[in-house]
Amino acid sequence: MLLTNAWFFFFSKIIFAVEWKFFTKIQTRNSWYAGTNNDVEIRYFGYKNSTPWLKLDNKKENDFERGNTDFFVHKLKPIGKIYEALLCKRQGDDNWDVKTVSLKVSYLSESKEEVLIYEYTFPEKDFRLKKNYKCQYLYDTRNFPN
């Protein structure tokens, strides 16, 4: 009983943390015309809620160029166990060849230490988002509902 209560206390601190940090890492393939200059957004889905659309844009940098790995950080409210993401290239006349998409989620503990909650590289690899408005669902096969 004591162990169950301790686990619940720890888990509830994670779920009800004031804010989570979402670290998104995207690799663009290293082939001709693989990059994009279009707006890119992602949305994460959890069992309790989902994030708003998150614009993936590092100011004063040229994101999503051929062969690049780009990192983005967003601070958001907790959404529960993550099971899916939706990556979208909003408009434009070029294709974008994505190699991998990874996500890490953490929160700041009371002692100001970063605590890792979630880390995953989505299994969908080497896919192309085509011209205009195109999206790709990304699934966490460990957490996806049956």
Side-chain angles (χ1 to χ4, degrees), residues 11-130:
F11 188 70
S12 65
K13 287 187 97 167
I14 291 172
I15 294 300
F16 300 112
V18 175
E19 107 183 335
W20 285 1
K21 273 190 185 175
F22 288 71
F23 299 90
T24 304
K25 177 176 117 177
I26 299 182
Q27 292 179 293
T28 299
R29 292 188 63 209
N30 191 14
S31 56
W32 287 102
Y33 304 107
T36 187
N37 291 320
N38 301 143
D39 290 339
V40 174
E41 295 179 327
I42 196 163
R43 187 172 186 188
Y44 294 106
F45 298 88
Y47 281 104
K48 292 186 68 146
N49 208 341
S50 61
T51 67
W53 283 106
L54 306 173
K55 188 169 184 175
L56 302 179
D57 183 27
N58 290 312
K59 301 292 183 208
K60 299 182 182 177
E61 287 188 31
N62 200 356
D63 303 314
F64 313 118
E65 291 302 304
R66 178 182 119 181
N68 280 5
T69 301
D70 298 295
F71 300 90
F72 308 91
V73 179
H74 294 92
K75 294 179 181 180
L76 303 161
K77 292 184 179 187
I79 63 169
K81 188 185 281 186
I82 298 162
Y83 63 88
E84 176 179 72
L86 182 58
L87 179 68
C88 294
K89 184 174 83 68
R90 289 296 180 194
Q91 77 280 343
D93 58 353
D94 62 3
N95 296 321
W96 178 34
D97 295 336
V98 179
K99 186 173 182 179
T100 59
V101 179
S102 302
L103 173 65
K104 284 185 184 181
V105 180
S106 65
Y107 76 98
L108 216 52
S109 71
E110 291 171 1
S111 60
K112 305 297 182 203
E113 290 182 56
E114 193 114 347
V115 178
L116 184 67
I117 300 171
Y118 177 90
E119 184 172 10
Y120 192 65
T121 298
F122 292 95
E124 293 79 13
K125 294 184 184 331
D126 295 318
F127 59 88
R128 173 173 279 183
L129 294 178
K130 297 190 177 187

